[in-house]
PDB file of all heavy atoms in Angstrom:
ATOM      1  N   ARG H   1     -42.953  68.681  68.475  1.00 71.00           N
ATOM      2  CA  ARG H   1     -42.493  67.826  67.391  1.00 71.00           C
ATOM      3  C   ARG H   1     -41.709  66.663  67.960  1.00 71.00           C
ATOM      4  O   ARG H   1     -41.197  66.711  69.068  1.00 71.00           O
ATOM      5  CB  ARG H   1     -41.622  68.616  66.420  1.00 71.00           C
ATOM      6  CG  ARG H   1     -40.374  69.201  67.041  1.00 71.00           C
ATOM      7  CD  ARG H   1     -39.656  70.148  66.105  1.00 71.00           C
ATOM      8  NE  ARG H   1     -39.157  69.471  64.923  1.00 71.00           N
ATOM      9  CZ  ARG H   1     -38.541  70.112  63.930  1.00 71.00           C
ATOM     10  NH1 ARG H   1     -38.364  71.421  63.977  1.00 71.00           N
ATOM     11  NH2 ARG H   1     -38.095  69.443  62.877  1.00 71.00           N
ATOM     12  N   THR H   2     -41.636  65.576  67.180  1.00 55.00           N
ATOM     13  CA  THR H   2     -40.885  64.395  67.576  1.00 55.00           C
ATOM     14  C   THR H   2     -40.121  63.885  66.382  1.00 55.00           C
ATOM     15  O   THR H   2     -40.380  64.247  65.245  1.00 55.00           O
ATOM     16  CB  THR H   2     -41.817  63.274  68.082  1.00 55.00           C
ATOM     17  OG1 THR H   2     -42.721  62.928  67.034  1.00 55.00           O
ATOM     18  CG2 THR H   2     -42.583  63.706  69.317  1.00 55.00           C
ATOM     19  N   ARG H   3     -39.152  63.036  66.638  1.00 51.00           N
ATOM     20  CA  ARG H   3     -38.455  62.357  65.553  1.00 51.00           C
ATOM     21  C   ARG H   3     -38.316  60.891  65.913  1.00 51.00           C
ATOM     22  O   ARG H   3     -38.366  60.514  67.094  1.00 51.00           O
ATOM     23  CB  ARG H   3     -37.059  62.958  65.327  1.00 51.00           C
ATOM     24  CG  ARG H   3     -36.060  62.714  66.442  1.00 51.00           C
ATOM     25  CD  ARG H   3     -34.693  63.219  66.018  1.00 51.00           C
ATOM     26  NE  ARG H   3     -33.722  63.131  67.092  1.00 51.00           N
ATOM     27  CZ  ARG H   3     -33.026  62.056  67.406  1.00 51.00           C
ATOM     28  NH1 ARG H   3     -33.220  60.943  66.728  1.00 51.00           N
ATOM     29  NH2 ARG H   3     -32.158  62.068  68.391  1.00 51.00           N
ATOM     30  N   PRO H   4     -38.159  60.001  64.935  1.00 46.00           N
ATOM     31  CA  PRO H   4     -38.033  58.584  65.236  1.00 46.00           C
ATOM     32  C   PRO H   4     -36.823  58.309  66.122  1.00 46.00           C
ATOM     33  O   PRO H   4     -35.761  58.885  65.939  1.00 46.00           O
ATOM     34  CB  PRO H   4     -37.857  57.943  63.851  1.00 46.00           C
ATOM     35  CG  PRO H   4     -38.424  58.942  62.903  1.00 46.00           C
ATOM     36  CD  PRO H   4     -38.145  60.283  63.505  1.00 46.00           C
ATOM     37  N   GLY H   5     -37.019  57.455  67.116  1.00 45.00           N
ATOM     38  CA  GLY H   5     -35.924  57.076  67.991  1.00 45.00           C
ATOM     39  C   GLY H   5     -35.608  55.601  67.842  1.00 45.00           C
ATOM     40  O   GLY H   5     -36.034  54.938  66.898  1.00 45.00           O
ATOM     41  N   LYS H   6     -34.869  55.084  68.788  1.00 42.00           N
ATOM     42  CA  LYS H   6     -34.490  53.680  68.733  1.00 42.00           C
ATOM     43  C   LYS H   6     -35.727  52.790  68.790  1.00 42.00           C
ATOM     44  O   LYS H   6     -36.705  53.084  69.477  1.00 42.00           O
ATOM     45  CB  LYS H   6     -33.562  53.357  69.902  1.00 42.00           C
ATOM     46  CG  LYS H   6     -32.204  54.043  69.801  1.00 42.00           C
ATOM     47  CD  LYS H   6     -31.320  53.660  70.979  1.00 42.00           C
ATOM     48  CE  LYS H   6     -29.946  54.321  70.869  1.00 42.00           C
ATOM     49  NZ  LYS H   6     -29.090  53.972  72.011  1.00 42.00           N
ATOM     50  N   GLU H   7     -35.686  51.724  68.049  1.00 38.00           N
ATOM     51  CA  GLU H   7     -36.746  50.730  68.022  1.00 38.00           C
ATOM     52  C   GLU H   7     -38.088  51.338  67.630  1.00 38.00           C
ATOM     53  O   GLU H   7     -39.150  50.913  68.068  1.00 38.00           O
ATOM     54  CB  GLU H   7     -36.857  50.034  69.389  1.00 38.00           C
ATOM     55  CG  GLU H   7     -35.559  49.320  69.784  1.00 38.00           C
ATOM     56  CD  GLU H   7     -35.649  48.730  71.174  1.00 38.00           C
ATOM     57  OE1 GLU H   7     -36.679  48.941  71.834  1.00 38.00           O
ATOM     58  OE2 GLU H   7     -34.699  48.052  71.588  1.00 38.00           O
ATOM     59  N   GLY H   8     -38.029  52.373  66.787  1.00 37.00           N
ATOM     60  CA  GLY H   8     -39.261  52.969  66.288  1.00 37.00           C
ATOM     61  C   GLY H   8     -39.982  53.862  67.266  1.00 37.00           C
ATOM     62  O   GLY H   8     -41.077  54.330  66.992  1.00 37.00           O
ATOM     63  N   LEU H   9     -39.389  54.110  68.430  1.00 35.00           N
ATOM     64  CA  LEU H   9     -40.051  54.969  69.410  1.00 35.00           C
ATOM     65  C   LEU H   9     -39.970  56.422  68.979  1.00 35.00           C
ATOM     66  O   LEU H   9     -39.112  56.812  68.192  1.00 35.00           O
ATOM     67  CB  LEU H   9     -39.391  54.795  70.788  1.00 35.00           C
ATOM     68  CG  LEU H   9     -39.459  53.388  71.376  1.00 35.00           C
ATOM     69  CD1 LEU H   9     -38.698  53.333  72.697  1.00 35.00           C
ATOM     70  CD2 LEU H   9     -40.903  52.971  71.591  1.00 35.00           C
ATOM     71  N   SER H  10     -40.861  57.215  69.512  1.00 41.00           N
ATOM     72  CA  SER H  10     -40.867  58.635  69.198  1.00 41.00           C
ATOM     73  C   SER H  10     -39.960  59.361  70.175  1.00 41.00           C
ATOM     74  O   SER H  10     -40.127  59.261  71.378  1.00 41.00           O
ATOM     75  CB  SER H  10     -42.295  59.181  69.298  1.00 41.00           C
ATOM     76  OG  SER H  10     -42.337  60.527  68.941  1.00 41.00           O
ATOM     77  N   HIS H  11     -38.968  60.060  69.650  1.00 44.00           N
ATOM     78  CA  HIS H  11     -37.959  60.701  70.498  1.00 44.00           C
ATOM     79  C   HIS H  11     -38.112  62.212  70.396  1.00 44.00           C
ATOM     80  O   HIS H  11     -37.996  62.780  69.313  1.00 44.00           O
ATOM     81  CB  HIS H  11     -36.563  60.285  70.041  1.00 44.00           C
ATOM     82  CG  HIS H  11     -35.504  60.580  71.049  1.00 44.00           C
ATOM     83  ND1 HIS H  11     -34.839  59.602  71.723  1.00 44.00           N
ATOM     84  CD2 HIS H  11     -35.019  61.756  71.521  1.00 44.00           C
ATOM     85  CE1 HIS H  11     -33.957  60.146  72.550  1.00 44.00           C
ATOM     86  NE2 HIS H  11     -34.067  61.460  72.436  1.00 44.00           N
ATOM     87  N   PRO H  12     -38.422  62.915  71.504  1.00 51.00           N
ATOM     88  CA  PRO H  12     -38.669  64.353  71.445  1.00 51.00           C
ATOM     89  C   PRO H  12     -37.386  65.157  71.295  1.00 51.00           C
ATOM     90  O   PRO H  12     -36.329  64.774  71.760  1.00 51.00           O
ATOM     91  CB  PRO H  12     -39.327  64.641  72.795  1.00 51.00           C
ATOM     92  CG  PRO H  12     -38.751  63.613  73.715  1.00 51.00           C
ATOM     93  CD  PRO H  12     -38.556  62.373  72.865  1.00 51.00           C
ATOM     94  N   TYR H  13     -37.515  66.288  70.633  1.00 57.00           N
ATOM     95  CA  TYR H  13     -36.429  67.257  70.604  1.00 57.00           C
ATOM     96  C   TYR H  13     -37.000  68.629  70.303  1.00 57.00           C
ATOM     97  O   TYR H  13     -38.070  68.749  69.710  1.00 57.00           O
ATOM     98  CB  TYR H  13     -35.352  66.884  69.591  1.00 57.00           C
ATOM     99  CG  TYR H  13     -35.749  67.017  68.138  1.00 57.00           C
ATOM    100  CD1 TYR H  13     -35.104  67.917  67.304  1.00 57.00           C
ATOM    101  CD2 TYR H  13     -36.766  66.237  67.597  1.00 57.00           C
ATOM    102  CE1 TYR H  13     -35.450  68.023  65.965  1.00 57.00           C
ATOM    103  CE2 TYR H  13     -37.111  66.338  66.271  1.00 57.00           C
ATOM    104  CZ  TYR H  13     -36.447  67.238  65.459  1.00 57.00           C
ATOM    105  OH  TYR H  13     -36.793  67.352  64.146  1.00 57.00           O
ATOM    106  N   ASP H  14     -36.313  69.648  70.741  1.00 71.00           N
ATOM    107  CA  ASP H  14     -36.808  71.003  70.611  1.00 71.00           C
ATOM    108  C   ASP H  14     -35.736  71.894  70.007  1.00 71.00           C
ATOM    109  O   ASP H  14     -34.634  71.983  70.542  1.00 71.00           O
ATOM    110  CB  ASP H  14     -37.214  71.564  71.982  1.00 71.00           C
ATOM    111  CG  ASP H  14     -38.335  70.764  72.626  1.00 71.00           C
ATOM    112  OD1 ASP H  14     -39.372  70.591  71.969  1.00 71.00           O
ATOM    113  OD2 ASP H  14     -38.168  70.316  73.767  1.00 71.00           O
ATOM    114  N   TRP H  15     -36.078  72.539  68.903  1.00 76.00           N
ATOM    115  CA  TRP H  15     -35.214  73.544  68.304  1.00 76.00           C
ATOM    116  C   TRP H  15     -35.947  74.875  68.345  1.00 76.00           C
ATOM    117  O   TRP H  15     -37.165  74.930  68.298  1.00 76.00           O
ATOM    118  CB  TRP H  15     -34.872  73.189  66.862  1.00 76.00           C
ATOM    119  CG  TRP H  15     -34.116  71.913  66.705  1.00 76.00           C
ATOM    120  CD1 TRP H  15     -34.636  70.691  66.391  1.00 76.00           C
ATOM    121  CD2 TRP H  15     -32.709  71.713  66.866  1.00 76.00           C
ATOM    122  NE1 TRP H  15     -33.639  69.746  66.329  1.00 76.00           N
ATOM    123  CE2 TRP H  15     -32.438  70.346  66.618  1.00 76.00           C
ATOM    124  CE3 TRP H  15     -31.647  72.567  67.178  1.00 76.00           C
ATOM    125  CZ2 TRP H  15     -31.166  69.811  66.692  1.00 76.00           C
ATOM    126  CZ3 TRP H  15     -30.373  72.034  67.245  1.00 76.00           C
ATOM    127  CH2 TRP H  15     -30.136  70.670  66.998  1.00 76.00           C
ATOM    128  N   GLU H  16     -35.188  75.933  68.407  1.00 80.00           N
ATOM    129  CA  GLU H  16     -35.822  77.245  68.391  1.00 80.00           C
ATOM    130  C   GLU H  16     -36.684  77.409  67.135  1.00 80.00           C
ATOM    131  O   GLU H  16     -36.216  77.165  66.026  1.00 80.00           O
ATOM    132  CB  GLU H  16     -34.759  78.345  68.395  1.00 80.00           C
ATOM    133  CG  GLU H  16     -34.146  78.637  69.732  1.00 80.00           C
ATOM    134  CD  GLU H  16     -33.254  79.856  69.640  1.00 80.00           C
ATOM    135  OE1 GLU H  16     -32.251  79.802  68.914  1.00 80.00           O
ATOM    136  OE2 GLU H  16     -33.566  80.865  70.292  1.00 80.00           O
ATOM    137  N   PRO H  17     -37.913  77.860  67.283  1.00 86.00           N
ATOM    138  CA  PRO H  17     -38.792  78.076  66.116  1.00 86.00           C
ATOM    139  C   PRO H  17     -38.494  79.435  65.480  1.00 86.00           C
ATOM    140  O   PRO H  17     -39.203  80.418  65.692  1.00 86.00           O
ATOM    141  CB  PRO H  17     -40.192  78.037  66.741  1.00 86.00           C
ATOM    142  CG  PRO H  17     -39.985  78.560  68.130  1.00 86.00           C
ATOM    143  CD  PRO H  17     -38.617  78.091  68.557  1.00 86.00           C
ATOM    144  N   LEU H  18     -37.442  79.481  64.672  1.00 85.00           N
ATOM    145  CA  LEU H  18     -36.959  80.769  64.172  1.00 85.00           C
ATOM    146  C   LEU H  18     -38.008  81.520  63.358  1.00 85.00           C
ATOM    147  O   LEU H  18     -38.087  82.748  63.419  1.00 85.00           O
ATOM    148  CB  LEU H  18     -35.693  80.570  63.332  1.00 85.00           C
ATOM    149  CG  LEU H  18     -34.383  80.409  64.102  1.00 85.00           C
ATOM    150  CD1 LEU H  18     -33.224  80.237  63.132  1.00 85.00           C
ATOM    151  CD2 LEU H  18     -34.135  81.596  65.012  1.00 85.00           C
ATOM    152  N   GLY H  19     -38.809  80.799  62.581  1.00 88.00           N
ATOM    153  CA  GLY H  19     -39.825  81.477  61.787  1.00 88.00           C
ATOM    154  C   GLY H  19     -40.791  82.251  62.665  1.00 88.00           C
ATOM    155  O   GLY H  19     -41.078  83.432  62.421  1.00 88.00           O
ATOM    156  N   ALA H  20     -41.308  81.593  63.698  1.00 91.00           N
ATOM    157  CA  ALA H  20     -42.242  82.255  64.606  1.00 91.00           C
ATOM    158  C   ALA H  20     -41.566  83.369  65.389  1.00 91.00           C
ATOM    159  O   ALA H  20     -42.174  84.409  65.667  1.00 91.00           O
ATOM    160  CB  ALA H  20     -42.853  81.227  65.562  1.00 91.00           C
ATOM    161  N   LEU H  21     -40.307  83.162  65.747  1.00 91.00           N
ATOM    162  CA  LEU H  21     -39.591  84.189  66.497  1.00 91.00           C
ATOM    163  C   LEU H  21     -39.329  85.420  65.641  1.00 91.00           C
ATOM    164  O   LEU H  21     -39.315  86.549  66.141  1.00 91.00           O
ATOM    165  CB  LEU H  21     -38.278  83.626  67.040  1.00 91.00           C
ATOM    166  CG  LEU H  21     -38.411  82.459  68.028  1.00 91.00           C
ATOM    167  CD1 LEU H  21     -37.041  82.024  68.532  1.00 91.00           C
ATOM    168  CD2 LEU H  21     -39.309  82.821  69.185  1.00 91.00           C
ATOM    169  N   CYS H  22     -39.127  85.212  64.340  1.00 91.00           N
ATOM    170  CA  CYS H  22     -38.992  86.353  63.426  1.00 91.00           C
ATOM    171  C   CYS H  22     -40.310  87.117  63.325  1.00 91.00           C
ATOM    172  O   CYS H  22     -40.328  88.359  63.351  1.00 91.00           O
ATOM    173  CB  CYS H  22     -38.556  85.873  62.042  1.00 91.00           C
ATOM    174  SG  CYS H  22     -36.836  85.332  61.935  1.00 91.00           S
ATOM    175  N   LEU H  23     -41.420  86.390  63.209  1.00 94.00           N
ATOM    176  CA  LEU H  23     -42.722  87.045  63.159  1.00 94.00           C
ATOM    177  C   LEU H  23     -43.000  87.807  64.452  1.00 94.00           C
ATOM    178  O   LEU H  23     -43.526  88.927  64.430  1.00 94.00           O
ATOM    179  CB  LEU H  23     -43.826  86.012  62.933  1.00 94.00           C
ATOM    180  CG  LEU H  23     -44.009  85.475  61.522  1.00 94.00           C
ATOM    181  CD1 LEU H  23     -45.101  84.411  61.514  1.00 94.00           C
ATOM    182  CD2 LEU H  23     -44.362  86.594  60.555  1.00 94.00           C
ATOM    183  N   SER H  24     -42.673  87.195  65.567  1.00 94.00           N
ATOM    184  CA  SER H  24     -42.892  87.848  66.855  1.00 94.00           C
ATOM    185  C   SER H  24     -42.137  89.170  66.943  1.00 94.00           C
ATOM    186  O   SER H  24     -42.701  90.204  67.312  1.00 94.00           O
ATOM    187  CB  SER H  24     -42.453  86.913  67.990  1.00 94.00           C
ATOM    188  OG  SER H  24     -42.478  87.585  69.233  1.00 94.00           O
TER     189      SER H  24
END
């Protein structure tokens, strides 16, 4: 996943995927 960054660039970030981790 990405989120908008400065000057419209795509800025990456990673959060734990809790939903998938619960299923796992």
Side-chain angles (χ1 to χ4, degrees):
R1 61 189 296 177
T2 60
R3 68 174 174 84
K6 292 181 179 179
E7 300 176 356
L9 299 177
S10 183
H11 196 111
Y13 70 117
D14 298 306
W15 298 97
E16 281 188 296
L18 279 181
L21 298 182
C22 287
L23 282 177
S24 172

